[in-house]
Amino acid sequence: MSAFSAIGEETDVESDDYTPELEPQATWCPGCGDFIVLKALKQALAELGKNPDEVQLMTGIGCSGKLSSYFESYGFHTIHGRALPVARASKLINPELEVIAAGGDGDGYGIGGNHFMHTARENHDMTYIVFNNEVFGLTKGQPSPTSPKGHKSKMTPHGNAKAPMRPLSMALSAGATYVARTAAVNPRQAKEILVEAIEHDGFAHIDFLTQCPTWNKDAKQYVPYIDVQDSDEYDDFELDDMRSAWEMMRTTEDGLYEGKVLTGRFYKDDRRPSYQDEKKERGDLPQTPIAEDYFDDSHDWKRSYEIIDKHK
Amino acid sequence: MSAFSAIGEETDVESDDYTPELEPQATWCPGCGDFIVLKALKQALAELGKNPDEVQLMTGIGCSGKLSSYFESYGFHTIHGRALPVARASKLINPELEVIAAGGDGDGYGIGGNHFMHTARENHDMTYIVFNNEVFGLTKGQPSPTSPKGHKSKMTPHGNAKAPMRPLSMALSAGATYVARTAAVNPRQAKEILVEAIEHDGFAHIDFLTQCPTWNKDAKQYVPYIDVQDSDEYDDFELDDMRSAWEMMRTTEDGLYEGKVLTGRFYKDDRRPSYQDEKKERGDLPQTPIAEDYFDDSHDWKRSYEIIDKHK
Amino acid sequence: MNDNEIVWRIAGGSGDGIDSTGTNFTKALMRSGLNVTTHRHYPSRIRGGHTYYEVRASPDDIKARADEYNVLLALGDSFARSPDEEAVYGNEEVKPLTENLDDLAEGGVIVYDTGVIDTDDIPDFDERVEENDWNVYPLNLREIAKEQGREVMRNTAGVGATAAAIGFDLDSIKDVMSDSMGGDILESNVEILRYTHDLLLEEHGVDHDVTVPDGEHDEEQVLVGGSHGIAYGALDEGCRFIAGYPMTPWTDVFAIMSKLLPEFGGVAEQVEDEIAAASMAIGASHTGAKAMSGSSGGGFALMSEPLGMAEGTETPVVLIEAMRGGPSTGLPTKTEQSDLEHVLYTGQGDSMRVVLAPGDVEEAYEQTRTAFQLAYGYNIPAIVLYDKKLSGGLTNVPASFFDREPDPSMEATLTEEEVQELKPEGAQDFPRFEYGAEKGVPPRPVPGQKNGRFKTSGNEHDQYGYIDEDPDNRVRQMDRRLSRFDHIRDDLDEQDHQKVHGEESPEYAVLSFGSNKGVVEEAAETLADEGWSVAAMNVSDMVPFDHESVRDFIEKAEQVFVVENNSTAQFRHHVQRELAGYDEKLTSILKYDGDPFRPAEVVDAVESAAEGGVETSYNVKIQHEQSRKGRDTETVKRLESVQGRGDPQ
Amino acid sequence: MNDNEIVWRIAGGSGDGIDSTGTNFTKALMRSGLNVTTHRHYPSRIRGGHTYYEVRASPDDIKARADEYNVLLALGDSFARSPDEEAVYGNEEVKPLTENLDDLAEGGVIVYDTGVIDTDDIPDFDERVEENDWNVYPLNLREIAKEQGREVMRNTAGVGATAAAIGFDLDSIKDVMSDSMGGDILESNVEILRYTHDLLLEEHGVDHDVTVPDGEHDEEQVLVGGSHGIAYGALDEGCRFIAGYPMTPWTDVFAIMSKLLPEFGGVAEQVEDEIAAASMAIGASHTGAKAMSGSSGGGFALMSEPLGMAEGTETPVVLIEAMRGGPSTGLPTKTEQSDLEHVLYTGQGDSMRVVLAPGDVEEAYEQTRTAFQLAYGYNIPAIVLYDKKLSGGLTNVPASFFDREPDPSMEATLTEEEVQELKPEGAQDFPRFEYGAEKGVPPRPVPGQKNGRFKTSGNEHDQYGYIDEDPDNRVRQMDRRLSRFDHIRDDLDEQDHQKVHGEESPEYAVLSFGSNKGVVEEAAETLADEGWSVAAMNVSDMVPFDHESVRDFIEKAEQVFVVENNSTAQFRHHVQRELAGYDEKLTSILKYDGDPFRPAEVVDAVESAAEGGVETSYNVKIQHEQSRKGRDTETVKRLESVQGRGDPQ
Ligand SMILES: Cc1ncc(C[n+]2csc(CCOP(=O)(O)OP(=O)(O)O)c2C)c(N)n1
Ligand SMILES: Cc1ncc(C[n+]2csc(CCOP(=O)(O)OP(=O)(O)O)c2C)c(N)n1
Ligand code: SF4
Ligand code: SF4
Ligand SMILES: [Mg+2]
Ligand SMILES: [Mg+2]
């Protein structure tokens, strides 16, 4: 029997089961897009029938990072920019957990950008939600890597001189196998995409447009949005064709700053094995979760004495 | 008169003028590709008539990082992965210097990957040479982010489980405005590309294939190589068209691990202003080098007392 | 409470403009001729959550926040929940009143907004009012503001009412308001100000003796905080480059510099992380500019490796560290002095940096200038260590304090002419790391200077900067680099940072560092007034340490109380490390609940500890032993009012 | 030199296989029944550059490298320049001979390769040979190897020749060779071994008294270094996860673990940087595995912030820090003990970590196990601090030393059954940070356990792990976390790490930490043999410090010499910090030229310092004062032979 009976248990859960009694009420500002991420995530996990005890949520630091305070599961509020490596290891030690990482655009594309790139390259099996509000929320409105050129703040009185980074095409170039963008203004799509991302075996990246009415008035409204899957104009790319996906992503990224909000799935590759599977295949990761061994009294713990002969 | 008379001075230099008397002889292993980077860089700067005193070379840590020991100019051997931010600031303080940054594939794509991405995004005007030997050289053969899948080493006895990262398409997606790959086996092309990169106004990235005969026997020979500009098979992409460049880069990146060594220029964009110019345009960077002010006795040093009224 | 002062507090929801209203009122008090200090309390949250802003004002010399306060303006927390979610903290709205009653002095004044707060929701409110003799003035501020057209004017309405309650003339308030507003907005604000002022007098009459004292300044004052001191010191010293990444509370300095540098002919960069920030400051400095970076907590932790690069390459740079509650993300918006050891020692190898911890706004300005002078005089990194308290607390300083000459000079940097003169005959490179250099500091050329080229490396290097692992070269370079500290100490001796405040040879001595300066001085004064034989010293020079002054101070006293805002007595241990003694003589007075000390807390702790006691009536800990061992054998008496949410037992 | 020992050195070019030849010879000496210790010198460069490998062998108990050596096998540096560049270090090839003459004992033996080295290029070679009574055996090893078909067999050829010169039986050498080779390769190696052995005897005859002593071990021995000790300790304690990034000298542990973990049912990850490495170890531990990471110098500096996360979230993790010369990139391949302060204090806020510094291979094994026990017993990060010397120096240990039970248990981690039992009635979450927990350690559930879910955060949090900035909660949580150190100290007291070696109440005491254990013990023995009243103590417990034992040791002596490998006396200051005393009693003996101490250096320094002297005949510094101030008023007498390249004067 597993030492972790919450895992894989048949569960009948509702969205509300992911609401913590101690912090049922998120303290984000009125109108903040982050509320919708929380709601969509609850719905997605309920739809997937996940027991809160089998979900490990790792968050960064930012308004977005507080997600783990308002979501009832195992929750690890890490440090700024480092949710991904913490999550990666969690999944390696217990691949049966549902591991979700989340954080802001500053957290994930700024200070944590290198982890983002390398986690995508390695195709770790997990879901990564980036709350993209095009601004540093928690520290009060400084430009983030996705802020539009010209964004004004205390830090940039003459407007941001930097061009925004391109989260979708970067994720793809880096190696992510599921890439989507959704928006807080479209909670139905958000939930669906979350379900797909969680079900995907490999690194699933969701760029989640979350308006920040407090610090980013310009980008406040992500409406009207276009769902590329529902659109005749934009649906002529193949989800599993990298080259056409890349083109569509560039169009989408440029569009955001020209007022055209394109959302939907942009890439999905089911052929590339996840990192966990690659490691297992090479004999570099045990077939059963390492976490189980510590609770298994019959586990055979190999000791150094067994290999000491080579030093004789 | 400038406080830096080496800058822009008409100079008649030869390749040998960049050879330091104290370390004329690089200590790389016999057959190491790094020798060719050094040689090509000397030739390129001689061709451009640069005074060694107007060149600021910033290097990372690695076999590659020792470039600054063997090259006669102002030389700053920084720390692992951080040559780019050091170089960026140098160029902001004195845009008239010729700033060149260099380091290994581990240094630049691994630990320093985030600086690489953001320096490209911001399009800082400088040349960045990555010695890509597909391995950690100085620390003795561990896999680097560009090591082929399956690379064996002490650290990976069953072979590397990670897919290599894609330096060219990443640079492009990130925002670099000049992207090329050359190889130590092709010193003529290397020199030409270096000349172009140094002349380019913006972030010029060169992925320089440097065989490491000591730790990476597999990748030892980058021959036969194909110069895409000279090839009928591969020259049907446009240097200034992002989409076709991206496709060509993917082909080139994949090819390397299949034994097809494609080199040459892959992207060049002369329209996007450099970061220095963006900042100047917004009034966020003075028109003349800040470094000059400290040597200019007539410079008017504004003081805090001039703005103290707002606190009254 | 001192009769000759007023301590006014405005409380409300985070994001409700409490901060700017408080600052404006402070300015008005200052312009009326009073000395002021401010203290701000806020949660790590953007909107909502209880926050307050307190100003103490007096014609006397004041150095710290007050022990209690006597005027409360309680606005409601306007924090609105998302319509999609249900609010559950039912009493959040009344917090601006409930949370602020404990510290309100007897006979104090309360003005509150009946539009949001219903005192029926507050247990024992009327009893407490009676017991404490509070003077309560309820007004429907929200309604009044709404009627005048804009609900946000609630703050102004409240200000008008409290002004009436304490007899503060509206003119200086209007004066301040007109600095930042004009036209219709100014007019309607002035109108509402006057309206509630008159209304309060009409409806309630004023029948208490809490009134604003009169004062007069000799000269014009400015209202500034530690962050201004640091930023202006840097600018006046010719700093023209900053790179950073936002982090509370360091962001203040970064924002001031980012705004001003373009005007001052410099450049500011917000970059991808703190590693890049510190590396860029080093690159900028190497290229000839006076440069700085900085951060708080985890951001500074990321600078450990670049800081070492500055040490190893002898590149001058000034780094700023603004402390907050730790470890890890800790208490992001609260104050603490717990990064001392981190700043002293982070980074591999023998550390080689200057560390100064200024005690107030003036010291922040002056010591930042000193940090630049030492950094660029000795080609060494210099760190200015301060905290959230010093950063955000405002105080008045004579405007003339800032009337000083800028000094962009870099003592240990060469001009191109000097390079030509000093370059050894026949050498290809410049000997940037010459063994025999005066004071251990070989001066540096700047890239672009003809014949100045040199190498530099974080690896051990020879006199030209080429990597060199020869043991003898190593020892010579290490000794040369270390020898600089003697000369730096000599320079600092001239600045006389460590001064004794109080008796020459007291029975009791109070030792502190950094931002506790004013608190400890005021506490010592109170103790002296009570007849104690006491003196205080606040230490700024962390490295190189001022052995002579501190030893002398300790030697002369019979018992020494080391006051600091952290839980492991870092400063006391630093003293022990440097002076190798005084085991029995030192007693720690520690506070680490996120709030700064008040003078009364220090007085109380000293009184208890002097008798060998270990208890105080505050959240303050007395520790007689010097080490971690024995930590839980002592007792802390805590305020029992709050038990922490979710007690599982 | 001791008569009963042989100290054999093989010198050549980096990359020429000096290392494996040396290790094989060492094994052969061990198998012949001798005790061995090794020391390796190499440049931060892959191929070329002078390197040597030294083994000391004796039937006696030996604890350190020898003061001098008596057999040199000088191979040429085969380092070939790139054909495109001109070689200019004309004499690089002879360095394996020239660089090694200073330490060669009188009457010593030299075997060198005339195929590469021409002694005419060496100034005064013949005079020095005569003066020192050296026995020189030139052989054209390169030529011989070439003739036998493979130039790389030069090393084997040299080994055969030195074996002949010191009367060492070829059997144990052959035996060792056959472990790693077979077939033709083995055969031709054995052939050349025998060939040069016989040739030397034939051509030269042997006429000196330097011979390999006889010895016998009671039981079978294994040849291991500190890195094996650490890795095997970790494995036996059930560590099944490592994440890292290569860095000298930490790479050794990382490589051993990376190779073995898959065999042991664990997982190893080389990741993008050290921030990720430490973060991953924390993530792995959080998910229920015993996990570790580690680095050296700058790599560990990058772990500062994740280390704080482990402290703040009370996630157990073991970090390994392997010191090398600093600051910054420093001396990457040389040894130093200069990261002590860094490891103790890096990271913002009051530090909360265990730090142990083992002194030899056995301690490395045992203290690594202890580190895991404490980490997982107290949910706290524990750091093992060692250095390049301990990492790379090999020594023999009885094989039975490793015959121990594995212990994967995690004392402060719950099973799912325990979670159900302990979960408070009606609570939705598990109170992972309960105030009242025994020993201050609330045990933790593991993700996936039913009903175990909890929150954790680097922010201050309440008993369930929710962010909570309430001052009272803060104080309680801090006090609880700090209270663990008392209990940890109690646990460590049982291990008795700090032992006195020598007299009970000596006149002179020698205090050291970490890898200087053997050196200092041997030095104390020498001094005792010379009639000094002396004792030594090596300290391992850095945090929590063993106040009692160290104070007692210092109290009992009249003068205490603190021996350490760094320039700022970090350990001495740590002692002062912890004990708040002994200003006058402590004298530092410092070495920071990149090489480890030899016993004779300590003896010499103690002899000088005991008289109040400040000079030694080595690159060793005596410092009587305790602080940086005064640094350049004292003198270091250096070996004058090397002035460092490129003296500009
Ligand atoms: C190392 C470090 N640097 C800086 C900070 C301060 N900080 C906290 S959140 C944040 C950025 C928040 O922006 P984002 O990641 O976009 O999240 P948001 O608040 O917008 O959701 C910063 C800079 C920190 N906590 N740690
Ligand atoms: C922070 C830090 N981590 C690790 C190291 C150790 N280190 C030095 S060079 C290097 C990698 C070298 O690989 P690469 O960058 O590809 O350069 P190469 O030697 O192959 O030219 C590493 C890991 C270091 N110096 N600093
Ligand atoms: S500041 Fe912006 S991102 Fe943060 S909670 Fe408020 S609206 Fe949301
Ligand atoms: S190890 Fe490889 S990269 Fe380094 S110098 Fe040798 S051949 Fe070149
Ligand atoms: Mg954001
Ligand atoms: Mg490499």
Side-chain angles (χ1 to χ4, degrees), chain B residues 29-65:
Chain B
C29 307
C32 175
D34 295 6
F35 284 105
I36 308 303
V37 185
L38 175 61
K39 190 173 187 167
L41 186 64
K42 288 178 180 179
Q43 288 172 347
L45 286 168
E47 181 167 325
L48 291 164
K50 294 285 174 191
N51 187 321
D53 282 317
E54 67 180 311
V55 178
Q56 174 63 59
L57 176 62
M58 312 288 197
T59 55
I61 302 291
C63 294
S64 44

Side-chain angles (χ1 to χ4, degrees), chain B residues 28 34 60-66 79-82 103-109 111 131-140 142 144-146 210 212 215, chain C residues 305, chain D residues 46 245-248 251 270 273-274 295-302 324 329 332:
Chain B
W28 293 307
D34 295 6
I61 302 291
C63 294
S64 44
K66 293 198 176 161
I79 47 178
H80 194 38
R82 315 304 168 190
D105 46 336
D107 191 87
Y109 304 146
I111 195 167
F131 293 56
N132 183 359
N133 56 8
E134 304 175 43
V135 78
F136 283 6
L138 189 65
T139 47
K140 309 201 163 177
Q142 299 88 0
S144 84
T146 54
T210 49
C212 169
W215 301 115
Chain C
E305 207 199 353
Chain D
I46 299 304
Y245 188 81
M247 186 151 192
T248 308
T251 310
Q270 181 187 308
D273 65 17
E274 289 87 353
S295 193
S296 293
F300 196 82
L302 289 171
R324 60 190 219 181
T329 312

Side-chain angles (χ1 to χ4, degrees), chain D residues 440-510:
Chain D
V441 192
R444 59 181 193 142
V446 174
Q449 287 176 341
K450 205 163 174 171
N451 293 326
R453 61 188 184 269
F454 62 89
K455 307 279 179 225
T456 187
S457 173
N459 291 59
E460 191 54 273
H461 40 261
D462 69 10
Q463 298 184 97
Y464 292 97
Y466 288 81
I467 298 171
D468 187 351
E469 305 192 336
D470 172 73
D472 193 54
N473 172 68
R474 163 70 170 179
V475 173
R476 285 185 165 217
Q477 294 289 19
M478 284 298 269
D479 285 349
R480 177 182 59 70
R481 290 189 291 254
L482 283 169
S483 75
R484 292 172 297 174
F485 285 95
D486 269 350
H487 305 285
I488 296 173
R489 187 60 250 162
D490 289 345
D491 290 0
L492 283 170
D493 281 344
E494 279 172 35
Q495 311 249 348
D496 199 16
H497 288 156
Q498 285 69 229
K499 288 197 203 72
V500 178
H501 192 89
E503 287 183 32
E504 247 293 289
S505 295
E507 199 172 336
Y508 298 102
V510 187

Side-chain angles (χ1 to χ4, degrees), chain B residues 5 9 19 21 53 56 71-72 74-75 77 88-90 115 275 279 294 303-304 310-312, chain C residues 27 31 223 232 236 238 268-269 272 280 287 403-404 416 428-429 449-451 453 455-457:
Chain B
S5 68
E9 196 193 43
T19 302
E21 283 164 18
D53 282 317
Q56 174 63 59
F71 183 80
E72 182 65 19
Y74 282 92
H77 185 231
R88 253 149 63 178
S90 190
H115 307 307
Y275 187 60
K279 289 270 259 195
Y294 292 89
R303 60 193 186 124
S304 65
K310 66 178 180 211
H311 293 281
K312 280 179 181 166
Chain C
K27 262 197 182 174
R31 288 193 193 166
L223 184 67
Y232 297 168
D236 288 354
E269 273 288 296
E272 60 272 28
M280 284 187 74
T287 313
D403 187 6
R404 312 202 189 191
E416 193 166 84
Q428 191 193 27
D429 290 346
Q449 285 176 342
K450 203 162 177 173
N451 294 326
R453 63 186 182 270
K455 308 280 178 223
T456 187
S457 174

Side-chain angles (χ1 to χ4, degrees), chain A residues 246-260:
Chain A
W246 191 82
E247 285 213 29
M248 186 57 210
M249 288 172 174
R250 302 286 301 189
T251 306
T252 301
E253 289 159 344
D254 290 336
L256 184 66
Y257 303 102
E258 292 152 8
K260 190 158 265 170

Side-chain angles (χ1 to χ4, degrees), chain A residues 5 9 19 21 53 56 68 71-72 74-75 77 88-90 115 275 279 294 303-304 310-312, chain D residues 27 31 223 232 236 238 268-269 272 280 287 403-404 416 428-429 449-451 453 455-457:
Chain A
S5 68
E9 197 192 42
T19 302
E21 284 166 16
D53 281 317
Q56 174 61 61
S68 53
F71 183 80
E72 183 64 19
Y74 283 91
H77 185 230
R88 254 150 61 178
S90 190
H115 307 307
Y275 187 60
K279 288 268 255 196
Y294 292 90
R303 60 193 185 122
S304 65
K310 67 178 181 213
H311 293 282
K312 281 180 179 164
Chain D
K27 263 199 180 172
R31 288 196 192 165
L223 184 69
Y232 297 169
D236 288 353
E269 273 287 297
E272 60 272 27
M280 284 187 74
T287 312
D403 187 7
R404 314 202 188 191
E416 193 166 83
Q428 190 193 29
D429 290 345
Q449 287 176 341
K450 205 163 174 171
N451 293 326
R453 61 188 184 269
K455 307 279 179 225
T456 187
S457 173

Side-chain angles (χ1 to χ4, degrees), chain B residues 20-292:
Chain B
E21 283 164 18
L22 288 171
E23 293 240 15
Q25 175 59 57
T27 60
W28 293 307
C29 307
C32 175
D34 295 6
F35 284 105
I36 308 303
V37 185
L38 175 61
K39 190 173 187 167
L41 186 64
K42 288 178 180 179
Q43 288 172 347
L45 286 168
E47 181 167 325
L48 291 164
K50 294 285 174 191
N51 187 321
D53 282 317
E54 67 180 311
V55 178
Q56 174 63 59
L57 176 62
M58 312 288 197
T59 55
I61 302 291
C63 294
S64 44
K66 293 198 176 161
L67 181 71
S68 53
S69 287
Y70 310 134
F71 183 80
E72 182 65 19
S73 72
Y74 282 92
F76 197 141
H77 185 231
T78 70
I79 47 178
H80 194 38
R82 315 304 168 190
L84 282 176
V86 178
R88 253 149 63 178
S90 190
K91 189 75 183 179
L92 283 168
I93 292 302
N94 196 343
E96 298 185 353
L97 286 176
E98 197 54 63
V99 175
I100 299 168
D105 46 336
D107 191 87
Y109 304 146
I111 195 167
N114 209 29
H115 307 307
F116 174 49
M117 243 60 82
H118 286 277
T119 310
R121 165 165 84 93
E122 295 170 16
N123 199 27
H124 286 264
D125 180 19
M126 58 173 63
T127 303
Y128 182 41
I129 308 167
V130 181
F131 293 56
N132 183 359
N133 56 8
E134 304 175 43
V135 78
F136 283 6
L138 189 65
T139 47
K140 309 201 163 177
Q142 299 88 0
S144 84
T146 54
S147 291
K149 225 186 202 175
H151 173 83
K152 287 199 179 178
S153 69
K154 268 196 182 179
M155 221 57 91
T156 49
H158 305 147
N160 184 19
K162 303 183 183 191
M165 65 89 73
R166 299 169 166 279
L168 307 174
S169 56
M170 288 296 283
L172 181 73
S173 296
T177 45
Y178 181 93
V179 184
R181 166 175 277 174
T182 185
V185 291
N186 189 355
R188 184 197 44 78
Q189 186 202 51
K191 193 244 352 187
E192 284 169 14
I193 283 182
L194 276 164
V195 168
E196 285 171 33
I198 293 167
E199 284 189 313
H200 177 74
D201 292 328
F203 186 67
H205 166 236
I206 301 170
D207 184 74
F208 204 128
L209 298 172
T210 49
Q211 69 281 2
C212 169
T214 300
W215 301 115
N216 203 355
K217 308 275 184 222
D218 319 331
K220 188 162 143 186
Q221 296 297 345
Y222 291 117
V223 278
Y225 55 84
I226 297 165
D227 183 333
V228 294
Q229 264 78 39
D230 291 348
S231 140
D232 291 344
E233 199 182 339
Y234 294 106
D235 67 353
D236 64 341
F237 70 97
E238 294 296 317
L239 261 188
D240 60 354
D241 175 58
M242 239 181 225
R243 284 161 173 85
S244 68
W246 191 81
E247 285 213 29
M248 186 57 210
M249 288 172 175
R250 301 286 301 189
T251 307
T252 300
E253 288 159 344
D254 290 334
L256 185 66
Y257 301 102
E258 294 152 7
K260 191 157 262 171
V261 184
L262 302 176
T263 65
R265 298 83 174 153
F266 293 90
Y267 186 66
K268 183 159 169 49
D269 170 5
D270 292 323
R271 292 149 303 192
R272 194 175 154 212
S274 75
Y275 187 60
Q276 283 68 23
D277 288 346
E278 288 271 6
K279 289 270 259 195
K280 280 186 191 163
E281 175 132 354
R282 279 169 203 278
D284 281 343
L285 184 71
Q287 296 296 327
T288 56
I290 293 170
E292 295 272 2

